Amino acid sequence: MADVDQVLDQAGLTNPHVREFVAKWAEITGAERVEVVNAEDDARLLRESLDAGELLPVSGGRYYSRSYLKDTARSEERTVVATSKESDRGVYNNWRPADETAATLTERMRGASAGKTMYVIPYLMSPQGSPLEAYAAGVELTDCRPVALHMIRMSRVGVHYINDLREPGSFVRAVHVTGDLPNLGQGTPDDQRLFATVADERTILHYGSSYGGNALLGKIAHGLRQACYDGKDSEAFLAEQFLLLGITDKETGKTYHVVGGFPSASGKTNLSMTLAPDALGDRYHVEFYGDDIAWLWVGDDGRIWAFNPEFGVFGVAKDTNEASNPGAIESIRPGSGAIFTNVAYNPETQEVWWEGRTKNPPQDAGWLDWTGRPIADRTPEEKDEPWAHPNSRFTTTIAQVPNAADDFEDPKGVPVDAIIFGGRTRDREPLIRAITDLAEGVYDGMTLGAEATFAADGLDGQLRYDPMSMRPFMAYSEGEYAAHWLHIIGKATDQPIFAHVNWFQRDPEDGHFRWPGYRENVRALLWLLQFRSGEVKGVETPVGVLPARSELNLDGLEIAEADLEALLTIDVDRWREEMAFREEHLAQFPGLPEEIWDAHRRVAKALDEA
Ligand code: GTP
Ligand code: SPV
Ligand code: MN
């Protein structure tokens, strides 16, 4: 066992609370060595990971990692929020008592890093100097070197972010222990994995994975789950699984900012990195701020302000190509330092590939699927299996995104003009409906959902509800959550407009997407911003204001009349059916504010009278 004090001295890590935290967990996990990580260590750590075979080289100074077969996504069932008050229990947050959860995890982690190095990663989940910086500092301890490399891309990493913090509670204590992945019983009744945020102690303990949100603790665990709790506790802010983008109208010189909550894998990365469609590109410029997390607060000017606490992008690879998301392709180009996880890999050419990268898979020999198996060895039955895992990802920094906003690191954030929600809905939801009332906006967020992907997930036509796209991240009860939203946005004297969008409506006959999606989605946002500023009137419906056909800018877009008609109208019968599902959904949440119920009844009544 290394001399922890000596290592921390050498690294110039002087904060006594952090030192105490590191020493405690070095002792518990039994790590053989301790090492402090700064962003400047990236090149050395990459070399060491390549030498150790943890990473494989991709052409142009990029990298490839493969995770254990049963460790390829966040596990929502194994993720819990723990606090000392049972009133934090929600319907979806897997609440547990703090003391027994911390005790269980301490036992699982005891001795589990024996023989390994424990990397100490001080990080900041905000631009430096932001008004919410007090909630953004953390120290992740991990026994996995590639996790350190991902953290360097996804957050701001360095000792100077934490050295001067005085209070014991002024940084999040985050401990990640990988565990013996082949022997954790993933998906069995004896599953050993446990991912806990002990929110009222600002402590995160994750055991049994080295993948994504399970292991990069600054991202989901701190940036969403812990921050969601801190935001409520302080009554100061909201932390949401939101994208953040800017649209500049070059003709008027005005810039607008939009945040959007879509459930996981429902299009946040794609929308946030999008470009204006070619036909509108001369006039509108879209700027990227963030693709997964935004923190929101009320500024002194009475507006809602936001920033992205992250430093990088951990994006879904599938279907990312020059047409769907040219910005993403550019952000992972040779020289970007990107890390690819669980895509297909060719060790001879050092190239990577995933479904949708090109129309057809590459032809040359030597390709391995995401598990490392040669494609050439596939049996005829296996021939059609995907080469990349459906949740395979790329990791890159925001600075690599070509249309990253110049001010993405500005600590004062940006003012928010619109808050949009969107899920994957095959019918019922029109392209866009604007909502001008705060309670109806929050109600729309609370009834957000995505289509059940497997028949077993739910009844046909019924959504898997994902309130605010925060179902797996809410750190306290849904009722209080809605109240906190009403409180924070309600404090703003100049409130953003709400809207619900849907890029995924399909023709029931042949299943084609009625809306072309991707870059064309900007057209719906432009309408919303014009509606907010009173330039267009829209068409009132019981569920919000829809664009009149003539108001939607369709220059350069070919779309069938029947599709457009379906996208710009509402199906009242399907909506009435949905209202009954919503009633059951909302009734699960004790303490849901009366304003939300009023909004529900208003919409239901309007539909009945329609
Ligand atoms: P997380 O990182 O898991 O939170 O996901 P995300 O919300 O950022 O999702 P992402 O943008 O990566 O999109 C997920 C999938 O939806 C990808 O396979 C996209 O190709 C697809 N997708 C995104 N936007 C559109 C769209 O406008 N139309 C259609 N048809 N598909 C889309
Ligand atoms: C998500 O699953 O919503 C993600 C990826 O953004 S992860 O970091 O794994 O949570
Ligand atoms: Mn996400």
CSV table of all heavy atoms in Angstrom, one decimal, residues 16-38:
chain,number,residue,atom,x,y,z
A,16,PRO,N,-7.5,19.6,3.0
A,16,PRO,CA,-7.5,18.5,4.0
A,16,PRO,C,-8.7,17.6,4.0
A,16,PRO,O,-8.6,16.4,4.3
A,16,PRO,CB,-7.5,19.3,5.4
A,16,PRO,CG,-7.9,20.7,5.0
A,16,PRO,CD,-7.5,20.9,3.6
A,17,HIS,N,-9.9,18.1,3.5
A,17,HIS,CA,-11.0,17.3,3.5
A,17,HIS,C,-10.9,16.3,2.3
A,17,HIS,O,-11.3,15.1,2.5
A,17,HIS,CB,-12.3,18.2,3.2
A,17,HIS,CG,-12.4,19.3,4.2
A,17,HIS,ND1,-12.6,19.0,5.6
A,17,HIS,CD2,-12.4,20.6,4.1
A,17,HIS,CE1,-12.7,20.2,6.2
A,17,HIS,NE2,-12.6,21.1,5.3
A,18,VAL,N,-10.3,16.7,1.2
A,18,VAL,CA,-10.1,15.8,0.1
A,18,VAL,C,-9.1,14.7,0.5
A,18,VAL,O,-9.3,13.6,0.2
A,18,VAL,CB,-9.7,16.6,-1.2
A,18,VAL,CG1,-9.4,15.6,-2.3
A,18,VAL,CG2,-10.8,17.6,-1.6
A,19,ARG,N,-8.1,15.2,1.2
A,19,ARG,CA,-7.0,14.2,1.6
A,19,ARG,C,-7.6,13.1,2.5
A,19,ARG,O,-7.3,12.0,2.4
A,19,ARG,CB,-5.9,15.0,2.3
A,19,ARG,CG,-5.1,15.9,1.4
A,19,ARG,CD,-4.0,16.7,2.1
A,19,ARG,NE,-2.9,15.9,2.6
A,19,ARG,CZ,-1.7,15.9,2.0
A,19,ARG,NH1,-1.5,16.6,1.0
A,19,ARG,NH2,-0.8,15.1,2.5
A,20,GLU,N,-8.4,13.6,3.4
A,20,GLU,CA,-9.0,12.6,4.3
A,20,GLU,C,-9.9,11.6,3.6
A,20,GLU,O,-9.9,10.4,3.8
A,20,GLU,CB,-9.9,13.4,5.3
A,20,GLU,CG,-10.3,12.7,6.6
A,20,GLU,CD,-11.3,13.6,7.4
A,20,GLU,OE1,-11.1,14.8,7.4
A,20,GLU,OE2,-12.3,13.0,7.9
A,21,PHE,N,-10.7,12.2,2.6
A,21,PHE,CA,-11.6,11.3,1.8
A,21,PHE,C,-10.7,10.3,1.0
A,21,PHE,O,-11.0,9.1,1.0
A,21,PHE,CB,-12.3,12.2,0.8
A,21,PHE,CG,-13.0,11.6,-0.3
A,21,PHE,CD1,-14.0,10.6,-0.2
A,21,PHE,CD2,-12.7,12.0,-1.6
A,21,PHE,CE1,-14.6,10.1,-1.3
A,21,PHE,CE2,-13.3,11.4,-2.7
A,21,PHE,CZ,-14.3,10.4,-2.5
A,22,VAL,N,-9.6,10.7,0.4
A,22,VAL,CA,-8.8,9.8,-0.4
A,22,VAL,C,-8.2,8.7,0.5
A,22,VAL,O,-8.2,7.5,0.2
A,22,VAL,CB,-7.7,10.6,-1.1
A,22,VAL,CG1,-6.7,9.6,-1.8
A,22,VAL,CG2,-8.3,11.6,-2.1
A,23,ALA,N,-7.7,9.1,1.7
A,23,ALA,CA,-7.0,8.2,2.6
A,23,ALA,C,-8.1,7.1,3.0
A,23,ALA,O,-7.8,5.9,3.1
A,23,ALA,CB,-6.4,8.9,3.8
A,24,LYS,N,-9.3,7.6,3.3
A,24,LYS,CA,-10.3,6.7,3.8
A,24,LYS,C,-10.6,5.6,2.8
A,24,LYS,O,-10.6,4.4,3.1
A,24,LYS,CB,-11.6,7.5,4.1
A,24,LYS,CG,-12.8,6.6,4.4
A,24,LYS,CD,-14.0,7.4,4.7
A,24,LYS,CE,-15.3,6.5,4.6
A,24,LYS,NZ,-16.5,7.2,4.9
A,25,TRP,N,-10.8,6.0,1.5
A,25,TRP,CA,-11.2,5.0,0.5
A,25,TRP,C,-10.0,4.2,-0.1
A,25,TRP,O,-10.2,3.1,-0.5
A,25,TRP,CB,-12.0,5.7,-0.6
A,25,TRP,CG,-13.3,6.0,-0.1
A,25,TRP,CD1,-13.8,7.2,0.4
A,25,TRP,CD2,-14.4,5.1,0.0
A,25,TRP,NE1,-15.1,7.0,0.9
A,25,TRP,CE2,-15.5,5.8,0.6
A,25,TRP,CE3,-14.6,3.7,-0.3
A,25,TRP,CZ2,-16.7,5.2,0.9
A,25,TRP,CZ3,-15.8,3.1,0.0
A,25,TRP,CH2,-16.9,3.8,0.6
A,26,ALA,N,-8.8,4.7,0.1
A,26,ALA,CA,-7.6,3.9,-0.3
A,26,ALA,C,-7.5,2.7,0.7
A,26,ALA,O,-7.3,1.6,0.3
A,26,ALA,CB,-6.3,4.8,-0.2
A,27,GLU,N,-7.8,3.0,1.9
A,27,GLU,CA,-7.8,2.0,2.9
A,27,GLU,C,-8.9,1.0,2.7
A,27,GLU,O,-8.7,-0.2,2.6
A,27,GLU,CB,-8.0,2.7,4.3
A,27,GLU,CG,-8.3,1.8,5.5
A,27,GLU,CD,-7.1,1.3,6.1
A,27,GLU,OE1,-6.0,1.9,5.9
A,27,GLU,OE2,-7.1,0.2,6.6
A,28,ILE,N,-10.1,1.5,2.4
A,28,ILE,CA,-11.3,0.5,2.3
A,28,ILE,C,-11.1,-0.3,1.0
A,28,ILE,O,-11.2,-1.6,1.0
A,28,ILE,CB,-12.6,1.3,2.2
A,28,ILE,CG1,-12.9,2.0,3.5
A,28,ILE,CG2,-13.8,0.4,1.8
A,28,ILE,CD1,-14.1,2.9,3.5
A,29,THR,N,-10.8,0.3,-0.1
A,29,THR,CA,-10.7,-0.5,-1.4
A,29,THR,C,-9.4,-1.3,-1.5
A,29,THR,O,-9.3,-2.2,-2.3
A,29,THR,CB,-10.7,0.5,-2.6
A,29,THR,OG1,-9.6,1.3,-2.6
A,29,THR,CG2,-12.0,1.3,-2.6
A,30,GLY,N,-8.4,-1.0,-0.7
A,30,GLY,CA,-7.2,-1.8,-0.7
A,30,GLY,C,-6.4,-1.5,-1.9
A,30,GLY,O,-5.5,-2.4,-2.3
A,31,ALA,N,-6.5,-0.4,-2.6
A,31,ALA,CA,-5.8,-0.1,-3.8
A,31,ALA,C,-4.3,-0.1,-3.5
A,31,ALA,O,-3.8,0.3,-2.4
A,31,ALA,CB,-6.1,1.3,-4.4
A,32,GLU,N,-3.5,-0.6,-4.5
A,32,GLU,CA,-2.1,-0.7,-4.2
A,32,GLU,C,-1.3,0.6,-4.4
A,32,GLU,O,-0.4,0.9,-3.7
A,32,GLU,CB,-1.5,-1.7,-5.2
A,32,GLU,CG,-0.1,-2.2,-4.9
A,32,GLU,CD,0.3,-3.4,-5.8
A,32,GLU,OE1,-0.5,-4.3,-6.0
A,32,GLU,OE2,1.4,-3.3,-6.4
A,33,ARG,N,-1.8,1.4,-5.3
A,33,ARG,CA,-1.2,2.7,-5.6
A,33,ARG,C,-2.3,3.8,-5.6
A,33,ARG,O,-3.4,3.5,-6.0
A,33,ARG,CB,-0.4,2.7,-6.9
A,33,ARG,CG,0.8,1.8,-7.0
A,33,ARG,CD,1.2,1.6,-8.4
A,33,ARG,NE,0.2,1.0,-9.2
A,33,ARG,CZ,-0.1,-0.3,-9.3
A,33,ARG,NH1,0.7,-1.2,-8.6
A,33,ARG,NH2,-1.0,-0.8,-10.0
A,34,VAL,N,-1.9,5.0,-5.4
A,34,VAL,CA,-2.8,6.1,-5.5
A,34,VAL,C,-2.1,7.1,-6.5
A,34,VAL,O,-0.9,7.3,-6.4
A,34,VAL,CB,-3.0,6.8,-4.2
A,34,VAL,CG1,-3.8,8.1,-4.4
A,34,VAL,CG2,-3.8,5.9,-3.3
A,35,GLU,N,-2.9,7.7,-7.4
A,35,GLU,CA,-2.3,8.6,-8.3
A,35,GLU,C,-3.3,9.8,-8.6
A,35,GLU,O,-4.5,9.5,-8.8
A,35,GLU,CB,-2.1,7.9,-9.7
A,35,GLU,CG,-1.3,8.8,-10.7
A,35,GLU,CD,-1.1,8.1,-12.0
A,35,GLU,OE1,-0.8,6.8,-12.0
A,35,GLU,OE2,-1.3,8.7,-13.0
A,36,VAL,N,-2.8,11.0,-8.5
A,36,VAL,CA,-3.7,12.2,-8.7
A,36,VAL,C,-3.7,12.6,-10.2
A,36,VAL,O,-2.6,12.6,-10.8
A,36,VAL,CB,-3.2,13.4,-7.9
A,36,VAL,CG1,-4.1,14.6,-8.1
A,36,VAL,CG2,-3.2,13.0,-6.4
A,37,VAL,N,-4.9,12.8,-10.8
A,37,VAL,CA,-5.0,13.1,-12.2
A,37,VAL,C,-5.3,14.6,-12.5
A,37,VAL,O,-6.2,15.1,-11.8
A,37,VAL,CB,-6.1,12.2,-12.8
A,37,VAL,CG1,-6.3,12.6,-14.3
A,37,VAL,CG2,-5.8,10.7,-12.7
A,38,ASN,N,-4.5,15.2,-13.4
A,38,ASN,CA,-4.8,16.5,-13.9
A,38,ASN,C,-5.0,16.3,-15.4
A,38,ASN,O,-4.6,15.4,-16.0
A,38,ASN,CB,-3.7,17.4,-13.7
A,38,ASN,CG,-3.5,17.8,-12.2
A,38,ASN,OD1,-4.3,18.6,-11.7
A,38,ASN,ND2,-2.6,17.1,-11.5
